[in-house]
Amino acid sequence: MNNKFEPVIKWSGSKRLQAYEIKSYFPEFNMYFEPFIGGGSMLYTIDNEGVAGDICEPLIGLWNIIKNNPQELIEYYEREWNRLQDEGHEVYYDIRTRFNKDFDPKDLLFLSRTCVNGLIRFNQDGEFNNSFHHSRKGINPKRLEKIINIWSSRIQNKEFIHGDYRETTATAKEGDFVYLDPPYFNTKGRYFGKIDYDEFIQFLYDLKSRNIKYALSYDGIRGEENFIVDIPEDLYERHILIESGNSSFKKVMDKSKEKVLESLYLSW
């Protein structure tokens, strides 16, 4: 398979550029579990049957539409994209208002493909709050159609669950594998929801007690700043730093470039 692929939905913290490098560290396993699905970049690389989850309900709704009814999504996006070209940026804000009222998964896809730099942002009430990208038209519907159909074919053997990381991995057992890409400890406020560090660490101990192998992507180094979090050493066998390009958030907010190295903890 070609190691380059395009995202179907852009999501903060995407692992698309590092996906196959990260996968190269994975062991052999039976079922795959990914409880922080986001943009699904790691999921794209996995052939095994699997379970993916997230606490963002419209995101899980979107993944189920991509899997089960891609044509509905394709037709929706083309219709609203054409409306945007004909009527202007007010269409974007109408759809954003609609999404923040009804949380329609299809609206989430549209917003992710037409907002500033594709940066998904939610406020504390779970409302989408990024602005329209005036200098871009949004991805062309014909191009997006191809992407949606490719992704739909890749995820037919995956189940998508609306729930937290504990619910998503409840049925995991020895021989299965869990990949974890939670909201990073030092990037609060830009992701949907948050997790408690102590509860998450206890969850890792629970996976260990069940003899379930896992990989954890987490804070690393950005520029001259070290954001590596104190993960108990008995929870991992290896700590690897993966090159992740430059910080897109810093580029947008400060017009600066900072090289990013992200942590990858392997439990075996």
Side-chain angles (χ1 to χ4, degrees):
M1 179 183 297
N2 191 328
N3 286 5
K4 294 183 179 180
F5 59 91
E6 295 190 79
V8 66
I9 180 173
K10 295 187 175 183
W11 203 259
S12 297
S14 170
K15 296 297 182 289
R16 182 170 62 94
L17 299 180
Q18 312 96 265
Y20 281 94
E21 180 182 359
I22 293 173
K23 186 193 175 186
S24 71
Y25 293 103
F26 288 2
E28 292 186 1
F29 55 88
N30 298 321
M31 285 283 290
Y32 177 76
F33 290 82
E34 188 174 344
F36 303 96
I37 183 59
S41 292
M42 291 309 306
L43 192 73
Y44 185 94
T45 72
I46 302 298
D47 295 324
N48 304 56
E49 291 184 6
V51 178
D54 204 280
I55 62 170
C56 182
E57 189 169 6
L59 176 63
I60 293 301
L62 176 60
W63 280 114
N64 277 314
I65 296 173
I66 294 168
K67 174 184 175 180
N68 299 317
N69 199 348
Q71 191 58 37
E72 174 189 350
L73 192 60
I74 290 164
E75 292 174 359
Y76 156 86
Y77 181 82
E78 182 173 20
R79 181 177 66 252
E80 298 294 41
W81 186 85
N82 285 330
R83 224 169 39 97
L84 178 66
Q85 311 315 309
D86 293 340
E87 301 174 28
H89 67 274
E90 290 184 2
V91 171
Y92 173 90
Y93 290 103
D94 286 344
I95 291 174
R96 192 179 73 173
T97 299
R98 186 173 71 195
F99 173 77
N100 288 333
K101 178 183 177 182
D102 301 328
F103 299 103
D104 188 308
K106 297 188 295 295
D107 287 341
L108 178 60
L109 176 70
F110 179 88
L111 293 171
S112 79
R113 284 304 192 159
T114 51
C115 69
V116 172
N117 293 302
L119 287 176
I120 303 291
R121 290 205 316 243
F122 297 95
N123 62 23
Q124 292 183 345
D125 296 322
E127 296 175 330
F128 191 98
N129 66 352
N130 202 358
S131 303
F132 176 61
H133 199 133
H134 285 274
S135 62
R136 295 181 182 175
K137 293 183 177 181
I139 187 170
N140 185 279
K142 295 304 180 186
R143 180 181 166 199
L144 185 59
E145 177 179 3
K146 295 177 182 178
I147 296 171
I148 289 172
N149 282 327
I150 290 170
W151 276 84
S152 184
S153 69
R154 290 293 300 158
I155 62 175
Q156 287 303 306
N157 62 347
K158 308 298 191 295
E159 178 184 1
F160 295 91
I161 294 174
H162 171 231
D164 72 9
Y165 55 93
R166 288 159 291 205
E167 294 170 293
T168 303
T169 59
T171 61
K173 56 185 182 297
E174 187 173 358
D176 296 336
F177 180 69
V178 179
Y179 173 67
L180 302 155
D181 186 20
Y184 285 10
F185 189 78
N186 289 290
T187 52
K188 292 181 176 66
R190 299 203 301 273
Y191 291 86
F192 186 94
K194 59 183 179 179
I195 60 173
D196 180 87
Y197 171 81
D198 293 329
E199 290 181 1
F200 183 67
I201 293 298
Q202 188 55 52
F203 165 75
L204 296 181
Y205 277 115
D206 178 62
L207 290 181
K208 181 179 179 180
S209 72
R210 291 155 61 191
N211 294 316
I212 299 170
K213 293 179 179 179
Y214 62 85
L216 166 65
S217 288
Y218 215 39
D219 301 67
I221 297 170
R222 189 180 70 204
E224 300 298 320
E225 297 184 89
N226 188 332
F227 293 104
I228 294 174
V229 178
D230 184 20
I231 302 293
E233 291 186 0
D234 60 338
L235 283 174
Y236 62 93
E237 293 296 325
R238 287 180 288 172
H239 175 206
I240 300 161
L241 289 172
I242 304 286
E243 289 192 14
S244 302
N246 296 318
S247 171
S248 60
F249 188 78
K250 290 290 288 185
K251 181 179 178 181
V252 172
M253 300 303 293
D254 301 336
K255 309 302 181 185
S256 62
K257 291 184 178 180
E258 286 188 334
K259 184 177 180 179
V260 176
L261 299 171
E262 294 187 330
S263 291
L264 181 67
Y265 298 91
L266 308 177
S267 71
W268 67 99

